[in-house]
Amino acid sequence: MKIAVVGTGYVGLVTGTCFSETGIQVTCVDIDIKKVEKLNNGIIPIYEPGLDVLFHRNVAEGRLKFTTNLADGIKDAQVIFLALPTPPGEDGSADLKYILKVADDLGKIMEEYAVIVDKSTVPVGTAEKVSAAIAKNAKVEFDVVSNPEFLREGVAVEDFMKPDRVVVGTRSERAKKVMEKLYAPLVRQGNPVIFMDERSAEMTKYAANSFLAMKITFMNEIANLCELAGADVDNVRKGIGTDSRIGKRFLFAGIGYGGSCFPKDVQALAKTSEEYNYEFKVLKSVMEVNEAQKTKMIPLVKKHFDGDLTGKTIAVWGLSFKPYTDDIREAPALENISILLEQGAKVIAYDPEGMENVRNYVLGNKITYAHTPYAALDEADALMIFTEWPQFRTPEFEKMALLMKSKVIFDGRNVYELDQMKELGFTYYSIGRATVGI
């Protein structure tokens, strides 16, 4: 089987690389000439654990190729994945211009039947729009299928190769047989391929991400209440997480969610509900709470320094929106850093993977970038933790104390235990728990 993947962003590159690992011939297409040149030279533009091994192996064995030519890329392809950006528009709805432009182009150049797969996260009704765009010029038969991705950044390769489930939206028996054959190597252990209509598949992706965002937000609300009531959110999390109806995942309190999926998907589903004259009150609350939660620690920082951050040096650990990725989209760290700079503070930051993206695309040289976590702490008045990278969990606290001007930590991810901080003599602020040292 031969497939094409249009778009070599996060989803497209993981999709193409992982399918090539199953023995399929994959051609990835992108209009970005420089990106394609890098990929053809063995340079991977994103950080995702395990992706490099599969990438280099399948390129070397000739199963994974890259081109800027759409016609060449789709030639003889039985399946064409559309893995294109769907950024939020000004009104919060997903912008489909990239997908519909490619769909229009496909109609003009397709020479034989193919299954066109919407892999991007798209609003309900998109498959119909894509089908109409292709049909305007198509001279051959085709089917449009919705096949949303459920990849978690940081473990995307594992998620793709061992999926919990595969959701496929199609009412075509012909397309169903093609998709069954395509995914057969990935579901040999019995995990289901769930077939449904296209609109239900499109809704499934938004519903899943919005539910998880709601779960995170609920725990952050519980954390805020714990602070006022004198409870400990970690104990509450353990108490409810062992209930099988609730589950243990997505219950960690912190400074809100970020990334490329949750923020735009919640926003897009809320917009969809408006289009159908339905007020989705829960989603509106989720967005409001999460936005406020992102900068929850700023008032604590200002209060600690008597309302004046002028000339204070704040060390920052973590810039990416979560560990094991260099993705900084909607990362809480960025909003917090901007406020710290506005308040007159100096920021020295360290992140294992996200610093180049922050430097190149967001903050430039407005902040200082440290080459190690400890280098960021030199003469720092306080440390703020925004991403729970594993290397931050067991640092040399004695070394930290020697480097820092003040032993003060503002922990937005509850990385450390309260008793530990108390024993070490740190002033320690966290989320939903008692403050240590004041």
Side-chain angles (χ1 to χ4, degrees):
M1 179 181 282
K2 179 180 178 182
I3 70 172
V5 179
V6 184
T8 59
Y10 179 84
V11 172
L13 188 55
V14 171
T15 296
T17 302
C18 288
F19 271 130
S20 70
E21 180 70 6
T22 69
I24 291 172
Q25 295 290 322
V26 180
T27 301
C28 295
V29 184
D30 202 294
I31 61 171
D32 189 330
I33 297 173
K34 291 183 177 179
K35 181 188 282 189
V36 171
E37 286 178 352
K38 287 182 177 179
L39 288 164
N40 281 324
N41 288 322
I43 301 172
I44 304 175
I46 62 171
Y47 173 73
E48 180 62 38
L51 183 63
D52 56 341
V53 175
L54 304 190
F55 176 92
H56 292 300
R57 175 162 60 226
N58 286 285
V59 167
E61 296 179 5
R63 287 192 296 269
L64 182 60
K65 300 177 181 178
F66 302 91
T67 182
T68 58
N69 190 301
L70 183 62
D72 289 346
I74 70 163
K75 186 174 178 59
D76 300 325
Q78 294 172 260
V79 183
I80 303 170
F81 282 90
L82 305 184
L84 295 152
T86 54
E90 292 183 7
D91 63 353
S93 60
D95 190 341
L96 298 177
K97 64 183 178 184
Y98 302 108
I99 288 177
L100 295 180
K101 172 63 168 65
V102 171
D104 185 69
D105 293 339
L106 286 174
K108 300 172 185 176
I109 61 177
M110 287 171 59
E111 298 177 346
E112 57 185 330
Y113 172 82
V115 177
I116 316 301
V117 181
D118 285 334
K119 196 64 176 172
S120 307
T121 302
V122 293
V124 175
T126 298
E128 295 159 22
K129 294 179 180 178
V130 170
S131 184
I134 296 172
K136 283 190 302 182
N137 301 295
K139 298 179 178 62
V140 296
E141 292 184 350
F142 66 91
D143 282 306
V144 175
V145 166
S146 176
N147 175 216
E149 54 85 16
F150 298 98
L151 306 179
R152 296 169 295 161
E153 293 190 45
V155 287
V157 171
E158 182 179 353
D159 283 349
F160 198 99
M161 301 303 289
K162 300 177 181 179
D164 290 334
R165 80 291 197 200
V166 176
V167 173
V168 178
T170 182
R171 288 165 289 180
S172 163
E173 285 300 317
R174 187 177 184 182
K176 181 178 178 181
K177 289 179 181 178
V178 172
M179 297 301 287
E180 283 178 332
K181 180 181 178 182
L182 179 65
Y183 276 105
L186 304 178
V187 294
R188 294 182 63 194
Q189 293 182 332
N191 292 340
V193 179
I194 305 170
F195 288 96
M196 59 184 73
D197 64 277
E198 297 89 341
R199 284 183 167 239
S200 294
E202 291 163 344
M203 181 65 82
T204 296
K205 175 58 186 286
Y206 281 117
N209 276 358
S210 295
F211 183 84
L212 295 175
M214 180 181 67
K215 198 172 179 182
I216 293 168
T217 303
F218 178 81
M219 281 308 296
N220 285 336
E221 289 263 68
I222 291 294
N224 295 340
L225 183 57
C226 282
E227 292 174 9
L228 298 172
D232 187 311
V233 72
D234 281 346
N235 291 332
V236 176
R237 171 179 57 81
K238 294 171 186 175
I240 68 173
T242 48
D243 188 323
S244 60
R245 297 169 300 175
I246 296 173
K248 299 177 181 179
R249 298 172 65 183
F250 292 90
L251 291 181
F252 287 88
I255 49 173
Y257 58 78
S260 61
C261 293
F262 285 4
K264 75 178 182 66
D265 289 357
V266 172
Q267 192 177 31
L269 185 56
K271 181 62 181 178
T272 296
S273 71
E274 290 178 10
E275 292 171 358
Y276 289 92
N277 296 315
Y278 180 77
E279 185 181 6
F280 210 140
K281 296 179 181 179
V282 171
L283 287 190
K284 288 185 177 180
S285 297
V286 167
M287 290 186 286
E288 291 172 3
V289 171
N290 191 65
E291 190 59 32
Q293 194 75 14
K294 283 184 177 181
T295 55
K296 174 183 170 59
M297 305 211 81
I298 291 294
L300 298 176
V301 177
K302 292 177 68 175
K303 183 178 179 181
H304 180 86
F305 291 108
D306 298 322
D308 186 8
L309 299 182
T310 304
K312 300 297 181 183
T313 297
I314 307 298
V316 165
W317 281 3
L319 296 171
S320 56
F321 86 94
K322 63 180 286 189
Y324 301 109
T325 181
D326 60 354
D327 194 341
I328 60 169
R329 287 173 288 185
E330 299 287 340
L334 303 182
E335 195 168 338
N336 281 272
I337 289 172
S338 294
I339 296 173
L340 291 172
L341 294 175
E342 290 172 3
Q343 295 289 322
K346 175 185 177 183
V347 174
I348 305 176
Y350 173 79
D351 185 284
E353 296 295 337
M355 290 193 291
E356 284 305 303
N357 283 341
V358 172
R359 189 202 308 268
N360 293 336
Y361 303 116
V362 185
L363 292 172
N365 293 319
K366 293 179 181 179
I367 66 174
T368 301
Y369 302 91
H371 62 284
T372 68
Y374 299 109
L377 299 177
D378 192 22
E379 290 297 299
D381 293 285
L383 166 65
M384 297 189 75
I385 301 175
F386 295 119
T387 314
E388 62 277 31
W389 284 94
Q391 63 185 270
F392 300 158
R393 293 191 177 277
T394 54
E396 297 177 44
F397 288 105
E398 295 80 5
K399 186 174 181 178
M400 291 173 65
L402 290 172
L403 289 167
M404 297 176 71
K405 189 181 296 182
S406 305
K407 294 168 60 176
V408 181
I409 299 175
F410 296 88
D411 183 356
R413 298 300 179 188
N414 289 3
V415 175
Y416 306 128
E417 297 296 331
L418 300 184
D419 289 344
Q420 180 186 34
M421 291 292 96
K422 186 174 182 179
E423 183 179 335
L424 292 168
F426 278 83
T427 299
Y428 180 69
Y429 300 84
S430 56
I431 306 294
R433 306 185 296 180
T435 299
V436 172
I438 62 170

